[in-house]
Amino acid sequence: MAPFSPTMAAIRYGYGLSPGQVLNRNADDLLVQLADAPLKDAFFPMGGAFEARQRADDLAEGLIAIRPVNNDGERDRDARKILQQKAEQSFQRDSMARVMQAVFSPYGFHERLASFWTDHFSVNARKALPMRAITPLYEVEAIRPHLAGPFRDLLHAAVLHPAMLIYLDQNRSAGPESAVAGNRKAGLNENLGRELLELHTMGAGSGYTQDDVRSAALVLTGMTVDDRYEMLFRPRMAEPGQIKVLGVSYGGRKRTADDCLSMLDDLATRPETAMHVCRKLATHFVADEAPPELVTAMVNEWKASGGHLVKVYAAMLDNPRAWAEPGRKMKLPFDYVVSGLRAFGINQKNWQDRLSPAGDDEAALPTAAPQSVMKDGDEPAAMKPDGGEMVMEKPAQAMTPDAAQMQKPKNKQSLARTLTLASLRRMGQPVWQPPSPAGFEEGVASWLSPSQMSERILWARKASDSLGGDMEPKRLLEVAMADMARDDTIRVVSQAPNRVSGMTLALSSPEFNRR
């Protein structure tokens, strides 16, 4: 039996401790979260998945209406700008709600897994305007319902979701011998085929070839998105004939969507996929250099269970190496901000008063998602209009050191944004905006830098000044780290010249930044 640690369970496998938190007693308590959490309503997207899907439909109808072909041949730039603003505003609200989902939820392990799998199957909401609306849906439709079932189901849902098909340009991919091959705008795109093998299943260096990448892309042809951002299969875009991937043939004279599903099923059961995914899980939760014996135990359970993820998680949590050597992982910025807000006792009942004063435009959050309207350039401007449906935009420009300073907001209304979305952008992990299909970097070397630590110290000081209230620094350290605070950290925090400095030191300590 693994040497279970309640404190480490909350820090290494959750989003940290909060005042009065009921600690897990054993690994089974962590696994129970995976059954209990889905029974609770998520705080994002705003109004739930149904209303979010309606917003996506409204955006689609708006973009269809302003197409030149439907608008007397003219581009209605003003109408497009209004659509962009509405989509951006909705996205900012959903992004804020996504942060608060992690802060409020008592199911830390479930939330961490949702973040892990959303990153494993990365998409970026900045790819195109429709992605603002469907990326929040992607997490609640494709990821969260499947993170405790067979990996096969999760793979199907993630790879074939409209967000993935748009992000990796699969919606425009057509076979060279397909019925639409003569259309000069149609051609084969290998993005999804490549990432399917390299990132989602087998992993780089696992034995597939460039021919396999191309063949996988050919099997995927026909899987596309309609004008209202729903996935569908278009036979006229599909490459005809038999196509061989990793020695297995798919299709025939007439291609169907089942060929694609069969390929995904086969990839889900390959031993290389088990090794790649188990190593990545162990790397995410335990150490940058995943302990080989831990990975082996997880892979063995994967093979025995047919890739049932709950059993793979159980194999990880039951292994002694899962509880050894605390502090080997660096918290990513999202984890740092969420655990900091939890340490200050931010919860569903008090967040409105403490982060967003009554009477402003950030709606209260009793049972629905929190709403926060971005102002004053907190996020990049919307895309330049060009009349098309899916327009690439420039990434947000890096801020200069002076501009990145955590200045006190001009008014209290912006405190919630200052301590969440704006800070995450400066720290390099904006919500639903990974730098590439590979997701955000995991390693300590990526996040333990002078600029990163400077941003975290600035956040710690701002949060301590704004949220610390009458809390004593030593009490904050006790809440945040419990029995994992080192003696020298306790001494330094206790000797701080004032409360804000002491709390800042607690949140800047090595223990709090690591897990």
Side-chain angles (χ1 to χ4, degrees), residues 269-272 274-275 298-307 312:
T269 60
R270 290 190 67 92
E272 299 93 339
M275 177 63 71
M298 296 169 68
V299 169
N300 289 340
E301 188 55 52
W302 180 296
K303 294 177 180 178
S305 67
V312 175

Side-chain angles (χ1 to χ4, degrees), residues 12-178:
R12 175 173 280 183
Y13 296 101
Y15 277 118
L17 294 154
S18 60
Q21 179 174 337
V22 177
L23 296 178
N24 295 287
R25 299 161 299 177
N26 49 49
D28 287 343
D29 280 355
L30 292 176
L31 296 173
V32 166
Q33 294 182 22
L34 307 184
D36 290 347
L39 302 178
K40 306 294 183 181
D41 290 335
F43 297 107
F44 79 98
M46 294 183 306
F50 178 81
E51 289 189 17
R53 179 57 67 179
Q54 184 60 57
R55 291 194 294 274
D57 289 344
D58 292 344
L59 176 61
E61 291 177 4
L63 289 172
I64 291 171
I66 65 172
R67 288 175 178 172
V69 68
N70 297 326
N71 197 38
D72 298 325
E74 298 294 329
R75 295 180 180 179
D76 192 336
R77 297 181 183 274
D78 290 338
R80 183 177 178 84
K81 184 176 181 180
I82 291 173
L83 290 173
Q84 292 169 346
Q85 290 172 341
K86 289 179 64 176
E88 183 68 23
Q89 184 182 78
S90 176
F91 175 67
Q92 295 305 329
R93 290 173 173 171
D94 283 337
S95 298
M96 176 72 79
R98 178 62 184 87
V99 177
M100 291 305 172
Q101 172 73 28
V103 174
F104 297 161
S105 177
Y107 308 111
F109 185 48
H110 180 269
E111 289 300 314
R112 286 285 306 285
L113 285 169
S115 293
F116 169 82
W117 287 114
T118 300
D119 193 68
H120 179 78
F121 295 104
S122 279
V123 301
N124 191 316
R126 294 288 170 197
K127 165 74 174 187
L129 180 56
M131 291 289 283
R132 309 288 200 286
I134 62 176
T135 297
L137 279 168
Y138 172 68
E139 183 170 338
V140 298
E141 291 178 342
I143 303 299
R144 287 177 176 261
H146 303 288
L147 57 78
F151 177 74
R152 167 188 174 276
D153 294 351
L154 176 59
L155 182 67
H156 279 215
V159 170
L160 300 181
H161 192 276
M164 183 67 73
L165 299 178
I166 293 173
Y167 176 53
L168 292 179
D169 302 307
Q170 180 61 36
N171 58 313
R172 299 179 179 181
S173 182
E177 303 298 326
S178 67

Side-chain angles (χ1 to χ4, degrees), residues 3 11 63 81 86 112 117 208 239 254 260 284 323 325 329 347 382 384-385 414 421 425 450 485 502:
I11 295 174
L63 289 172
K81 184 176 181 180
K86 289 179 64 176
R112 286 285 306 285
W117 287 114
Y208 64 84
E239 180 75 358
K254 185 177 181 180
C260 175
H284 176 76
W323 304 95
E325 301 179 78
K329 289 293 298 182
N347 57 46
K384 293 182 178 180
S414 63
L421 304 186
R425 188 178 67 250

Side-chain angles (χ1 to χ4, degrees), residues 301-369:
E301 188 55 52
W302 180 296
K303 294 177 180 178
S305 67
H308 200 286
L309 293 174
V310 168
K311 294 184 180 297
V312 175
Y313 306 149
M316 175 177 68
L317 296 172
D318 285 341
N319 192 286
R321 291 304 302 269
W323 304 95
E325 301 179 78
R328 294 187 66 186
K329 289 293 298 182
M330 186 84 174
K331 288 181 181 178
L332 271 63
F334 185 91
D335 305 355
Y336 175 81
V337 167
V338 169
S339 57
L341 293 174
R342 287 177 58 82
F344 280 113
I346 298 298
N347 57 46
Q348 186 179 347
K349 294 181 179 179
N350 67 27
W351 89 280
Q352 181 77 12
D353 291 336
R354 298 184 67 182
L355 288 176
S356 182
D360 66 15
D361 55 9
E362 294 178 359
L365 178 62
T367 57

